[in-house]
Amino acid sequence: VSEMTMPFSDSEVGGVTGIVMCGNWYRLKWITKIRAVEDFWQLCASLYGRYALTGQGFLYGGSKGYRKSIWDEIGGHPTTTMIDDGELASEIIKRGYTIAVIKNPTMQEEVETLRQYIAERKRWAGGDIELAKSQKDAIFKNPVYGIVMCANHGIDALNLLAFLLLPF
């Protein structure tokens, strides 16, 4: 918690996110092991890599914090799309704030059945489409925002493609 609050000393920082890793990877379920690899790719390597390149992070899963004043300005947690954390990140970035990324990982439980995995993917894909539609003007106006948003949608698509090809 103390590491997550440090970036807020910069008034330009509107949100902070941390690396998220699969906390139940050790269970002998193949789908959970796949999610552990995806978490490493999507919520560790690519998140921190994009932050290093663009200076802009994004909010994911169980490791996020934001300024109360921005929370109040936005009107609380957005509920327009199925991916509320992505929607909140978009609103913070649209207001000209940065989302910092800290290196200290947070562990979160991941899906353990194929049914849960498919439901999660449907929610993410549907939410990505909803978010892209609602943010299309901002994506084209701000190149960094566009890169971050396109990378998020692209990584979700690559994860799904890898999962579909994995059996082969």
Side-chain angles (χ1 to χ4, degrees), residues 14 21 39 50 69 93 129 159 162 164:
M21 298 179 78
D39 277 356
R50 283 192 316 262
S69 59
I93 294 168
I129 291 166
N159 280 343
L164 294 173

Side-chain angles (χ1 to χ4, degrees), residues 4-13 67:
M4 185 160 278
T5 59
M6 280 193 256
F8 287 113
S9 63
D10 180 350
S11 62
E12 300 286 317
V13 173
R67 270 184 207 284

Side-chain angles (χ1 to χ4, degrees), residues 72-140:
D72 291 341
E73 182 183 326
I74 291 169
H77 230 317
T79 57
T80 307
T81 71
M82 293 183 283
I83 51 171
D84 49 90
D85 48 0
E87 192 174 352
L88 181 60
S90 297
E91 291 298 324
I92 290 170
I93 294 168
K94 274 182 11 187
R95 286 167 168 73
Y97 292 97
T98 301
I99 297 173
V101 178
I102 60 171
K103 293 180 184 178
N104 195 359
T106 298
M107 304 301 258
Q108 70 181 18
E109 295 287 306
E110 295 296 357
V111 298
E112 294 190 359
T113 68
L114 182 58
R115 182 180 301 260
Q116 291 171 337
Y117 184 88
I118 291 169
E120 182 181 64
R121 285 297 169 276
K122 282 182 180 177
R123 183 176 71 84
W124 287 358
D128 281 346
I129 291 166
E130 289 174 338
L131 190 57
K133 283 180 182 177
S134 70
Q135 304 293 327
K136 65 183 174 214
D137 292 338
I139 289 171
F140 292 110

Side-chain angles (χ1 to χ4, degrees), residues 14-73:
V16 177
T17 193
I19 292 169
V20 178
M21 298 179 78
C22 181
N24 53 333
W25 61 269
Y26 56 88
R27 296 198 180 131
L28 298 176
K29 297 187 179 202
W30 65 273
I31 198 77
T32 307
K33 291 181 189 303
I34 288 171
R35 284 297 292 125
V37 171
E38 285 182 352
D39 277 356
F40 177 77
W41 166 244
Q42 182 174 10
L43 305 176
C44 296
S46 65
L47 171 67
Y48 202 76
R50 283 192 316 262
Y51 180 63
L53 290 172
T54 66
Q56 186 63 272
F58 209 71
L59 300 175
Y60 290 109
S63 182
K64 58 186 175 281
Y66 20 83
R67 270 184 207 284
K68 183 175 182 330
S69 59
I70 296 171
W71 172 266
D72 291 341
E73 182 183 326

